[in-house]
Amino acid sequence: MDFKVGSLDTPKPANGDVGSLAANQVSTLKTSTSSTQLCSAEATLGRHLARRLVQVGVSDVFAVPGDFNLTLLDDLIAEPGLKLVGCCNELNAGYAADGYARSRGVAACAVSFTVGGLSILNAIAGAYSENLPIICIVGGPNSNDYGTNRILHHTIGLPDFSQELRCFQTVTCYQAIVNNLEDAHDQIDTAISTALKESKPVYISISCNLSAIPHPTFSREPVPFCLAPKLSNSLGLEAAVDAAAEFLNKAVKPVMVAGPKLRVAKACTAFLELADACGYPVAVMPSAKGLMKETHPHFIGTYWGAVSTAFCAEIVESADAYIFAGPIFNDYSSVGYSLLLKKEKAIIVQPDRVVIANGPAFGCVLMKDFLPALAKKLVRNTTAYENYHRIYVPEGLPLQCDPKEPLRVNILFKHIQKMLSGDSAMIAETGDSWFNCQKLKLPEGCGYEFQMQYGSIGWSVGATLGYAQAAKDKRVIACIGDGSFQVTAQDISTMLRCEQNPIIFLINNGGYTIEVEIHDGPYNVIKNWNYTILVDAIHNGDGKCWTTKVQCEEELVKAIETATEVKKDCLCFIEIVVHKDDTSKELLEWGSRVSSANSRPPNPQ
């Protein structure tokens, strides 16, 4: 079915396939297919861009004003259904778009030329690594300045204006420089459709003097157009399914593992269908947590090598066949390249390619087609799951805290577990929160996001802002380390302006703990802030905000009770004071293995 880029009256699918239409659902266009004449004030380049954003599902644009984009921002504000969310800096605007895209399936941000574009670049690079479609809009130079050999402000002082473009070329899948009106319509539509098709960020630069000018190409409501769907090669699909089924059906104890590219492949539902049919135990890679229903009867936890959920690695690595759907094997996910996997035992399914047992490869085979077709050919085999069930020992509870004993991190997450429901979403910052949040058992419908591939500290503040803005039906719970918070703390103010009500647990252990466990040094110790007073100062009596500092379990219980009841409509900021060496055992193991991988000596020359 074609995906129509028009005003889609379709809710976000409950199946976790972000940005996709529900199965067999026909899109309903809000705009009439009969072309409607627009008045000149609406028939401008800026208004066309704004309409297109609304039509593909964007209702909020995260922006930082600058003199090159001010007129364009006027056009975005003027569009019904589109809200401008002003952020404190461009980096946070990019992180917010990242979080928004994870919930909504597409996002947009708007900044000024070069000085703003290079500031947002790091966030766009992270979104590229995580396969998130973000439309990054930059207010560019006056169209008359191109080719004049002039030097402009907000640039590096050279008459060549291409520096920003060259930087974005490596972290976006399409770039449009709109400095004339004649082909602006085509450039904008191509950029947006490419972002959706490739599930990657795109870059659109619009000359500052063009946005408000009417042009005949914008004189009518934009006609909805279709994205040509990717299709599997039918013969290749059949061959891949037959080969995979033969390989798996002769295995004694096969398993299946979900990877992060399930999202971009829009194959979460297909993976679940396969899990229901085959009877194999089901694990997730750490960066795929939240993409597979953890209430599934055969779910066995996170496969992360030596730091896996208890008994999960033993089942996966002892299997005689495993099917990985959308994996990314990097040094972090492989725990310093220490996974005990063998390629000859693996079927690797990527969004459009299948490789079986390190042998035959089948291209032009879409994961969302392959998995359901395979489900019909597999003989149900519960041997590996029964083995897991035999060896499984329920997790022990953390040691009871004595009255007024300093709070331990494992006690904190015991209580966070109790807070989770289908109406909540977890955001885990880079650091020890990665490992502690991995151990949380997600109720059905509970969202979960973290940025593992790029791992940019500070990401979670903006991502919390963006996710909460997109998913107003969920209460966002964010776990953020003190070091990460110091990078991007300012946009707590934007959350307050947007009347959001996240619960932020600020874990104060005095430094960059994840770096300490990889390689320690004085640079990992940071200046301690009075975090609750800082957030109170940002609040400044404007908006709904509640802060508290917690140092023992009794105070934590009281704080959570207040945040979830009396202050449930407020932004709740809870500072958790813990010992600097209070880390998860998984981080200790992972850190030592990553350190070993980082410190490998050079190969002999």
Side-chain angles (χ1 to χ4, degrees):
M1 181 183 70
D2 290 353
F3 174 63
K4 295 189 177 181
V5 179
S7 191
L8 299 177
D9 189 15
T10 56
K12 179 175 178 272
N15 57 25
D17 292 346
V18 179
S20 70
L21 298 179
N24 302 319
Q25 182 176 347
V26 179
S27 59
T28 304
L29 299 175
K30 291 180 185 173
T31 53
S32 170
T33 53
S34 60
S35 193
T36 305
Q37 187 79 31
L38 299 173
C39 68
S40 60
E42 296 175 325
T44 64
L45 188 161
R47 289 300 297 275
H48 174 77
L49 173 61
R51 282 191 291 274
R52 278 303 196 208
L53 293 178
V54 171
Q55 288 172 354
V56 299
V58 173
S59 53
D60 303 88
V61 177
F62 301 93
V64 177
D67 58 322
F68 285 126
N69 73 356
L70 297 176
T71 303
L72 176 60
L73 297 186
D74 287 339
D75 289 322
L76 298 181
I77 291 171
E79 181 62 26
L82 198 62
K83 178 180 180 181
L84 205 66
V85 179
C87 296
C88 296
N89 59 49
E90 292 87 359
L91 178 62
N92 280 349
Y95 287 154
D98 177 308
Y100 192 94
R102 289 167 185 267
S103 175
R104 189 65 64 87
V106 63
C109 50
V111 297
S112 193
F113 184 62
T114 306
V115 71
L118 299 190
S119 288
I120 205 171
L121 191 68
N122 185 55
I124 298 301
Y128 188 93
S129 77
E130 300 277 327
N131 298 295
L132 299 171
I134 293 177
I135 300 154
C136 182
I137 305 159
V138 173
N142 187 292
S143 62
N144 299 301
D145 286 326
Y146 283 91
T148 61
N149 209 37
R150 291 172 177 160
I151 294 175
L152 290 184
H153 68 289
H154 287 338
T155 69
I156 60 172
L158 297 176
D160 177 5
F161 300 160
S162 67
Q163 184 207 12
E164 179 182 84
L165 171 64
R166 294 198 306 274
C167 291
F168 273 95
Q169 281 173 335
T170 59
V171 296
T172 56
C173 65
Y174 184 85
Q175 306 82 38
I177 306 298
V178 182
N179 54 18
N180 69 82
L181 289 171
E182 281 68 28
D183 60 356
H185 188 290
D186 178 62
Q187 285 184 286
I188 289 171
D189 284 3
T190 302
I192 293 175
S193 62
T194 304
L196 294 170
K197 285 189 290 188
E198 300 297 326
S199 197
K200 295 278 190 182
V202 293
Y203 166 85
I204 303 176
S205 173
I206 296 179
S207 291
C208 60
N209 61 323
L210 299 184
S211 176
I213 299 177
H215 191 268
T217 57
F218 307 123
S219 63
R220 295 184 180 275
E221 283 283 354
V223 176
F225 58 92
C226 295
L227 300 183
K230 292 182 179 179
L231 299 174
S232 294
N233 178 294
S234 58
L235 292 178
L237 174 62
E238 183 180 355
V241 169
D242 288 343
E246 181 183 1
F247 179 77
L248 292 169
N249 284 336
K250 68 183 180 184
V252 177
K253 44 182 184 177
V255 301
M256 54 190 295
V257 184
K261 290 187 179 179
L262 276 176
R263 187 204 300 264
V264 67
K266 296 178 171 55
C268 294
T269 301
F271 185 83
L272 185 60
E273 184 178 335
L274 177 60
D276 289 338
C278 69
Y280 302 171
V282 183
V284 296
M285 298 184 75
S287 48
K289 187 175 177 70
L291 299 181
M292 170 65 192
K293 186 169 68 171
E294 296 190 6
T295 54
H296 191 277
H298 284 190
F299 181 75
I300 64 172
T302 298
Y303 174 64
W304 200 353
V307 295
S308 299
T309 304
F311 309 105
C312 180
E314 292 81 357
I315 295 300
V316 172
E317 292 178 347
S318 67
D320 56 345
Y322 15 76
I323 178 168
F324 279 82
I328 296 177
F329 295 110
N330 61 22
D331 53 336
Y332 273 16
S333 67
S334 67
V335 198
Y337 312 111
S338 65
L339 300 183
L340 301 179
L341 299 174
K342 295 182 178 179
K343 289 184 178 180
E344 60 268 22
K345 293 183 179 182
I347 295 176
I348 306 296
V349 188
Q350 294 296 3
D352 56 3
R353 185 177 179 82
V354 178
V355 179
I356 298 175
N358 202 30
F362 302 87
C364 299
V365 174
L366 300 184
M367 185 193 300
K368 63 182 179 180
D369 297 331
F370 173 79
L371 297 179
L374 179 61
K376 296 179 174 67
K377 293 259 184 148
L378 291 184
V379 176
R380 188 170 178 83
N381 184 341
T382 60
T383 304
Y385 181 74
E386 289 164 5
N387 191 30
Y388 169 79
H389 190 68
R390 277 190 293 269
I391 68 173
Y392 177 73
V393 177
E395 273 187 62
L397 295 175
L399 294 174
Q400 191 70 32
C401 276
D402 294 329
K404 301 299 180 182
E405 177 189 342
L407 186 63
R408 300 193 305 274
V409 171
N410 56 18
I411 294 293
L412 166 64
F413 280 90
K414 180 184 79 170
H415 288 282
I416 289 177
Q417 177 68 70
K418 296 175 183 176
M419 298 171 65
L420 299 183
S421 72
D423 297 324
S424 57
M426 280 297 307
I427 303 289
E429 175 59 80
T430 302
D432 199 21
S433 291
W434 274 7
F435 303 90
N436 287 302
C437 289
Q438 277 293 328
K439 291 181 280 188
L440 295 171
K441 294 175 175 60
L442 302 181
E444 189 164 355
C446 181
Y448 185 91
E449 298 293 345
F450 78 129
Q451 189 195 58
M452 187 175 185
Q453 173 61 40
Y454 202 58
S456 184
I457 67 168
W459 162 86
S460 63
V461 176
T464 297
L465 163 64
Y467 195 101
Q469 192 66 16
K472 296 184 184 294
D473 58 330
K474 293 187 183 294
R475 191 164 195 197
V476 178
I477 302 169
C479 293
I480 307 176
D482 52 341
S484 297
F485 186 73
Q486 289 194 8
V487 179
T488 50
Q490 310 94 313
D491 270 283
I492 291 285
S493 64
T494 310
M495 297 178 198
L496 290 168
R497 290 173 66 191
C498 293
E499 300 180 339
Q500 295 179 359
N501 67 336
I503 300 174
I504 297 173
F505 289 100
L506 187 284
I507 302 172
N508 183 355
N509 55 13
Y512 300 123
T513 302
I514 192 170
E515 312 292 7
V516 168
E517 302 309 332
I518 296 174
H519 183 90
D520 200 6
Y523 32 76
N524 291 327
V525 179
I526 62 176
K527 173 71 175 69
N528 193 33
W529 293 359
N530 192 329
Y531 294 97
T532 54
I533 295 297
L534 172 68
V535 173
D536 286 336
I538 292 173
H539 173 219
N540 197 26
D542 183 14
K544 294 182 178 180
C545 181
W546 178 73
T547 67
T548 189
K549 184 178 293 189
V550 166
Q551 302 190 67
C552 64
E553 185 177 13
E554 296 92 326
E555 294 173 352
L556 174 65
V557 170
K558 185 177 179 181
I560 290 175
E561 183 180 320
T562 301
T564 54
E565 295 180 10
V566 181
K567 300 294 184 180
K568 64 183 179 182
D569 61 341
C570 296
L571 184 154
C572 295
F573 183 89
I574 303 173
E575 180 184 350
I576 308 293
V577 180
V578 296
H579 192 277
K580 67 181 181 67
D581 295 325
D582 186 359
T583 63
S584 65
K585 71 179 183 65
E586 291 82 6
L587 174 56
L588 297 176
E589 173 77 16
W590 178 88
S592 64
R593 289 175 181 262
V594 170
S595 175
S596 177
N598 287 351
S599 59
R600 287 168 295 160
N603 291 325
Q605 299 298 312

